[in-house]
Amino acid sequence: MTPSRMTPRVAIGTVSAAVLAATVLTGAPATAEAATPESAPTTATSGGSATLRFVDIEGDGGITLKANVFTPAGADGTRRYPVIVLPTSWSMPQVEYLAQAKKLAGKGYVVVGYNSRGFWQSGGEIETAGPKDVADASKVIDWALAHTPADRQKVGMAGVSYGAGISLLASAFDKRIKAVAALSGWGDLVGSIYSGRTEHRQAAEFLGATGALTGRPSPEFRTIMKDFLASNLDKEKDLIAWGRKRSPATYLDKINANGAAIMLGNAWGDSIFPPNQTADFYEKLTGPKRLEFRPGDHATAEGLGLFGLPNDTWTDTQRWFDHYLKGADNGVDRESPVLLKSRSTGAYEGYQSWKDVPSAQRRIGLDGSKQLHTNWDSGANGGLVILSSMLDQFLKLPPMASIPLLPRPLAAVWQSERYDTGQRVRGTTRLHTTLTSTAESGTAIAYLYDVGPLGLGKLVTHAPYTFHGKTPNQPFGVDLELFSTAYDVPAGHRLAVVVDTVDPLYNEHNPSGARLTFSSPADDPSYVSVPVRD
């Protein structure tokens, strides 16, 4: 099944699940069409539970944003409550957060969830977290302060994926925002879907297909997607400028100056917003901050929480707001700010900073000279967007490959010695090598596998690398960061480094018949450095 055929079905299933969850857990209308004007609010109460109403909010430029509001039980206008604004994820309807919003309202928050512009029944076109989306967030805050018992001194924003990105961007431009919980979002949009100067094709197709299915893409977005998927190098500078405009990292000075307390949550296997860029963004924040990584793929670490089920990510999100909006002395500010959950054991580990995560490095020498024929898939690959890391999360089944059977003309393979003790891989693996190509452009993908006694390799991490404008047959150095992870290699296993030239997740730029040669000069040896925790 090709990604373009797969993604609309995935989108329909995801949306349907969220709608069903919201209906079952809250008794609310299951579609945006069921929303009623503010003058005739729809309410859902259960004894002393919070009150829900569906409203229209005027967004930037006068468009209508479909929204829902939970007000704490007993609110009678005599007191003010902290307010949390929740922009929806990409392609999701406005009922996405109802289960969590109801819980937060039950703890004393006014909660306003709204459908991001361009999607479902909200007006406008998809701007992909552009300036109009940021302006919408401020408009929703304005509305909440004017039409609910919200405390203007205690404003928070949160969201999953697209909602996370909008929340972070808004915190740069709206000083009223005091706390943010950004779950499965991005700090650097370019570093997310164009890492290693390689188009993340399946991720982009996923976004494009689901956006077209559930919303109204703007002409700008359609053009960007067309040029991106076509690998139009003439438009590369424009594409990068477009992405940077939508990257919270671009506005770090503003975010830090405003001082909002920022919690970031992501999954190790996020195939849309990889963990590296989240960790890099976290390290540059100077205000109160927290970083959490868990097993899974895009939005799956917090996904079950959207059904109202127990979920660690959403529990910590509430604790974050309780402290930084309510002033609760719950200890979240005294805990280790970096919280990691191992893909292998499910155990949590706390660290004082991202840099403290590894305590040692295991170096694997990439000795000798190995030449690869391009344009053929060796069988080593990173799996499928969304699906593969979900299998790893729930069934401990990451993408696998038989290392001895990988065709050596198509895959370069190096292996470590067998380890007498288990190796706790923690952090970012780095590759350094010398590459020679017969063409001026090309793509290579590096993989790190955990290899058992029978030669079956389980994928630990990987990353793509693309080059352009190189002199054919002239060696050049390559430094590549693989996607960060937390994985435990059992005693008796070894690590294998595999490099090939084709992966279904990515566009590849190897001209037909091109050859790539990896070498290890005596004065500049090639290696992979694997971060471990002793």
Side-chain angles (χ1 to χ4, degrees):
M1 180 180 292
T2 64
S4 59
R5 292 179 181 175
M6 174 186 68
T7 49
R9 297 175 188 174
V10 172
I12 292 171
T14 304
V15 170
S16 299
V19 172
L20 176 61
T23 304
V24 171
L25 291 166
T26 69
T31 65
E33 286 88 350
T36 59
E38 184 193 352
S39 58
T42 297
T43 61
T45 61
S46 176
S49 66
T51 301
L52 167 65
R53 55 185 173 139
F54 286 78
V55 301
D56 293 341
I57 297 176
E58 183 178 315
D60 185 60
I63 69 160
T64 296
L65 300 171
K66 292 294 183 178
N68 53 78
V69 185
F70 272 101
T71 305
D76 57 7
T78 62
R79 59 170 293 193
R80 294 285 169 177
Y81 300 87
V83 58
I84 299 173
V85 173
L86 303 169
T88 55
S89 304
W90 185 269
S91 294
M92 296 298 282
Q94 62 153 313
V95 296
E96 176 185 9
Y97 301 115
L98 286 187
Q100 286 300 324
K102 183 179 181 182
K103 287 186 175 184
L104 288 166
K107 297 295 184 179
Y109 293 92
V110 172
V111 187
V112 184
Y114 72 95
N115 226 130
S116 302
R117 71 164 50 222
F119 288 104
W120 295 86
Q121 278 70 40
S122 280
E125 297 176 323
I126 298 172
E127 299 289 335
T128 324
K132 292 181 181 179
D133 291 297
V134 176
D136 284 344
S138 290
K139 287 280 191 178
V140 174
I141 294 173
D142 292 341
W143 183 93
L145 296 177
H147 296 89
T148 75
D151 187 337
R152 65 179 56 253
Q153 303 301 320
K154 299 177 180 180
V155 177
M157 284 195 70
V160 175
S161 184
Y162 194 49
I166 291 174
S167 296
L168 286 173
L169 288 163
S171 74
F173 294 94
D174 196 322
K175 295 181 179 180
R176 295 174 297 182
I177 299 171
K178 304 303 181 185
V180 173
L183 313 179
S184 291
W186 70 93
D188 181 353
L189 188 57
V190 178
S192 294
I193 61 174
Y194 195 49
S195 71
R197 208 179 176 185
T198 308
E199 297 86 0
H200 293 211
R201 186 179 73 240
Q202 284 190 18
E205 288 178 337
F206 179 91
L207 295 173
T210 53
L213 182 69
T214 61
R216 298 168 300 284
S218 66
E220 180 186 35
F221 177 68
R222 291 182 185 276
T223 299
I224 287 290
M225 288 296 297
K226 179 181 177 181
D227 290 337
F228 184 80
L229 291 172
S231 302
N232 188 347
L233 280 179
D234 291 337
K235 297 292 185 179
E236 185 181 38
K237 289 184 178 179
D238 294 338
L239 292 169
I240 291 174
W242 179 87
R244 285 179 176 165
K245 189 175 183 179
R246 290 159 170 80
S247 296
T250 301
Y251 311 103
L252 262 168
D253 289 347
K254 291 179 178 293
I255 293 173
N256 286 333
N258 290 344
I262 294 178
M263 171 182 157
L264 304 174
N266 209 333
W268 293 119
D270 195 318
S271 50
I272 297 180
F273 303 127
N276 301 47
Q277 52 83 34
T278 299
D280 290 344
F281 179 73
Y282 168 84
E283 284 290 276
K284 296 172 184 175
L285 292 171
T286 59
K289 60 184 180 177
R290 183 177 179 92
L291 176 66
E292 299 186 355
F293 281 129
R294 293 180 173 86
D297 207 307
H298 184 64
T300 65
E302 61 273 4
L304 292 178
L306 296 177
F307 292 81
L309 299 175
N311 182 268
D312 290 350
T313 305
W314 283 105
T315 296
D316 284 351
T317 294
Q318 183 184 315
R319 294 175 64 232
W320 191 251
F321 286 129
D322 284 350
H323 180 74
Y324 287 103
L325 293 184
K326 287 185 174 181
D329 186 15
N330 57 15
V332 73
D333 58 322
R334 298 187 295 274
E335 297 171 359
S336 297
V338 175
L339 184 69
L340 312 183
K341 187 176 184 180
S342 168
R343 289 167 50 197
S344 305
T345 66
Y348 280 108
E349 303 167 2
Y351 300 91
Q352 288 304 307
S353 75
W354 176 247
K355 293 179 181 178
D356 290 334
V357 172
S359 57
Q361 300 286 327
R362 299 284 183 265
R363 181 171 287 201
I364 303 171
L366 309 184
D367 302 325
S369 179
K370 302 189 180 186
Q371 186 180 83
L372 300 183
H373 298 256
T374 63
N375 312 121
W376 295 90
D377 193 342
S378 72
N381 65 69
L384 292 173
V385 66
I386 304 297
L387 177 61
S388 294
S389 290
M390 282 184 64
L391 291 175
D392 181 40
Q393 176 185 2
F394 294 110
L395 301 176
K396 299 294 189 293
L397 291 175
M400 300 181 191
S402 175
I403 305 303
L405 297 181
L406 291 175
R408 295 317 194 251
L410 307 180
V413 179
W414 299 267
Q415 296 194 70
S416 72
E417 74 282 1
R418 293 188 188 278
Y419 296 111
D420 293 332
T421 59
Q423 303 295 306
R424 299 165 62 201
V425 179
R426 298 290 186 275
T428 306
T429 296
R430 292 174 169 82
L431 176 149
H432 173 76
T433 190
T434 296
L435 174 59
T436 304
S437 173
T438 59
E440 60 91 23
S441 293
T443 297
I445 304 94
Y447 309 89
L448 184 68
Y449 284 97
D450 161 23
V451 184
L454 299 179
L456 181 64
K458 295 183 177 181
L459 187 63
V460 177
T461 182
H462 78 287
Y465 173 81
T466 293
F467 59 90
H468 297 289
K470 298 297 184 182
T471 303
N473 301 310
Q474 182 68 39
F476 59 94
V478 172
D479 288 285
L480 176 66
E481 288 190 350
L482 279 62
F483 301 139
S484 305
T485 196
Y487 181 97
D488 294 2
V489 179
H493 287 212
R494 64 178 77 207
L495 287 169
V497 178
V498 177
V499 180
D500 71 2
T501 64
V502 175
D503 191 305
L505 286 170
Y506 311 108
N507 279 0
E508 57 97 2
H509 296 263
N510 298 298
S512 179
R515 302 286 186 272
L516 301 182
T517 300
F518 296 88
S519 58
S520 183
D523 60 346
D524 186 19
S526 297
Y527 61 88
V528 162
S529 182
V530 181
V532 296
R533 189 73 190 177
D534 287 334

